Each structure stands twice: as structure tokens, then as C-alpha cells.
Amino acid sequence: MKWKIIADSGCDLREIENLAPNTEYINVPLTVQVGEKHYKDDATLDIDAMMIEMYESKEKTASACPSPDAFLEAYRGAENVIAITITGGLSGSQNSAQLAKKMLLEEAPETNIEVFDSLSASGEMVLFVQKANELIAQGLSFEEVVAALKEYLASTKLLFALARVDNLVKNGRLNKLVGAVIGMLNIRLVGDASPEGTLNLLHKAKGQKKAVQAVWSEMKKNGYKGGRVVISHCSNPEICGLIQAAVHSEFPDADVSSIHTSGVCSYYAEQGGILMGYEA
């Protein structure tokens, strides 16, 4: 039986290494809007150019979810479909994915399909997609894979550290003066994903090293014991190295990897920011 793993581009993975047999992975792109210009968040997107134009623009910016038809097209052609979207607290992608599920079952009612709301983004979604691939490779049934993924998603967490907040200011979510102070004083905003799937501020750290200390402290507070870590970063490999060093100082065998944020995750994390997933 053929499997499909579907994620929107809130997941930074464009392709899965060592894909399970008879399995296809599809990343369905969101869109980032800067003024009147639209950037499709697929493998052809020049993220650096998009970020430059975004910072040069005085106009509001926004992200737009994929259409139900885009998800439906991705779903078709497999007996078993596992899908996950960026948190419904930030995007309408989850609604589109659920509507596409109903459309698929109307035309192919025998299909097994489960659509997950990550209540998160980025690195945590990468962990989910990798786990789905591993479970499918084990030859488990659809019901067994879904049950294991529900349990796994409840055990992973997201932490973020933001060095810039221009988009929050442009969209009226943060006061201009506060945004300016954060930039001038080298403040990093450190937080996590709330149970409702929104971004929850935990710390205001002065400088990158203090931000890493705050991230590492939160990981241990949440029960981190050496599990897998995926650091999605927006052009900041240095912070990835610092976090990896902190983790390996206590858990030298921990699997810590880094990946560049997708277009939409770069939009949310902004230059120098991270959206990190880890197994708690």
C-alpha cells in the first residue's frame, strides 16, 4: 500500500532522507506577502532575497495558507495519508487541510487519512515528519502509525528565540517603541508554543549567549533527557552551535541537527531567529 506524508511549509523539510519504501513526501507551500508581492514558499524561493525586500518595505506583510485544492492534490494517489500543518493559531492552513480531507473522502472514501494540527511550527514539525517516516518504515498499520504519532506529538515541544520583531511591529502586534528598544538593546525574545498553539513569551534575554542559556534552561525544566533536537534557524548557524554545545555538555550522544527555516518560518522567526523542536 502506498503512503503519503504531507506537511505544509510550516515544516522546514523540503525532502526526507532515507524515505520509507512506497512512501512519498510532499511539502505544500504557504505564501508570504510583502506589499503587493507574493512569495510562494517552495524549493525555488530565494529566502535571502525575500527577507531583504521584506525589511526594505514599509508596507504590511502577511502569510497566506494553501488552498484546500492544493492539499487535495497532494493527498490524492495513496491508500494511507498522514498530514500535518502549522498551528491553527497562526494560519488557516489547518482549516484548508481538514476541508481537503472531506473532499478526498467524498471522491475516495476507502482512503485512510489523518490530519494533525501541530499546534506548533518549524523544528517541531520536522521531528513529526521524520518520526512518521520511521514508523512507516517499520511496517506498522495505519492505525498503529496514527496512535504512535499522537503520543509522539504530545511529547515534543517548541522553543523560539527572536532577534528581530519587525513583522510584529508592522502588523500592529507589537508597539513600535518596544520593537525599537529590542533592536537597540540587543534583546532576544525567548518563548515557547502554548497548548493552544500560539507563541508564548517566557524571557527577554540580553544578547545571544543569554538567550541560549534561557533556551537550555527551559529545555531542562520541561524534562529534556537527551532526545532528538532540530534547530531551525534564519541565517544564524552560530546560535545552533551554541545550543548544540549546551546540549552535548550534559548529553554528549544527543542527536542535535540544524536546518534553515523555510520561507514562512523565516517570516515568523526573522533574521537571526530560531524555531527549535525537541523531544522532551
Side-chain angles (χ1 to χ4, degrees):
M1 297 181 76
K2 182 174 180 179
W3 289 78
K4 279 191 174 185
I5 303 171
I6 310 296
D8 64 28
S9 61
C11 175
D12 306 295
L13 273 186
R14 301 298 191 189
E15 59 183 26
I16 298 176
E17 293 182 3
N18 302 315
L19 196 61
N22 207 28
T23 300
E24 184 179 4
Y25 171 62
I26 299 176
N27 189 285
V28 182
L30 283 88
T31 302
V32 175
Q33 182 176 352
V34 180
E36 297 300 317
K37 193 164 185 177
H38 294 77
Y39 294 91
K40 188 177 181 181
D41 189 15
D42 59 17
T44 67
L45 176 62
D46 186 336
I47 296 174
D48 291 336
M50 180 194 80
M51 296 299 288
I52 290 171
E53 184 153 345
M54 186 175 74
Y55 287 129
E56 289 178 348
S57 174
K58 303 296 183 185
E59 299 182 74
K60 284 188 177 182
T61 59
S63 64
C65 67
S67 68
D69 285 339
F71 278 110
L72 178 60
E73 183 62 30
Y75 294 163
R76 287 180 173 135
E79 289 80 16
N80 297 321
V81 181
I82 300 292
I84 188 167
T85 71
I86 192 171
T87 172
L90 290 177
S91 169
S93 191
Q94 172 65 199
N95 290 335
S96 287
Q98 292 288 359
L99 181 55
K101 174 184 174 179
K102 293 179 181 179
M103 295 162 65
L104 176 72
L105 291 175
E106 287 176 359
E107 65 178 51
E110 72 283 357
T111 306
N112 297 314
I113 179 169
E114 186 75 18
V115 178
F116 290 83
D117 185 340
S118 70
L119 298 175
S120 187
S122 202
E124 190 172 0
M125 291 179 68
V126 172
L127 288 173
F128 178 95
V129 164
Q130 291 174 337
K131 187 67 172 180
N133 184 59
E134 291 171 5
L135 292 168
I136 293 168
Q138 292 173 22
L140 302 179
S141 69
F142 179 80
E143 292 75 17
E144 288 171 329
V145 169
V146 169
L149 286 173
K150 287 180 178 178
E151 185 176 342
Y152 183 72
L153 192 57
S155 73
T156 58
K157 293 187 179 295
L158 178 84
L159 282 169
F160 64 83
L162 308 182
R164 296 185 65 162
V165 291
D166 297 50
N167 286 327
L168 295 177
V169 172
K170 284 181 181 178
N171 293 328
R173 295 181 181 179
L174 193 67
N175 182 277
K176 287 184 179 180
L177 180 59
V178 174
V181 168
I182 288 170
M184 287 173 17
L185 299 183
N186 194 25
I187 300 293
R188 301 293 199 274
L189 301 183
V190 178
D192 63 6
S194 73
E196 297 76 32
T198 57
L199 298 183
N200 179 41
L201 180 62
L202 299 172
H203 304 279
K204 295 177 183 177
K206 181 70 180 293
Q208 184 153 274
K209 289 185 178 180
K210 290 288 182 66
V212 170
Q213 291 173 7
V215 166
W216 180 226
S217 174
E218 288 297 325
M219 290 175 69
K220 291 191 289 184
K221 185 189 300 183
N222 288 320
Y224 179 76
K225 299 295 183 182
R228 188 180 299 177
V229 180
V230 174
I231 311 166
S232 294
H233 68 98
C234 186
S235 302
N236 191 354
E238 180 184 358
I239 197 171
C240 301
L242 292 172
I243 293 172
Q244 183 179 54
V247 173
H248 284 167
S249 68
E250 293 191 29
F251 302 97
D253 296 327
D255 181 355
V256 183
S257 61
S258 60
I259 185 173
H260 198 286
T261 43
S262 64
V264 72
C265 291
S266 296
Y267 169 79
Y268 284 115
E270 297 204 44
Q271 196 73 25
I274 63 164
L275 295 163
M276 184 188 78
Y278 66 101
E279 297 173 342

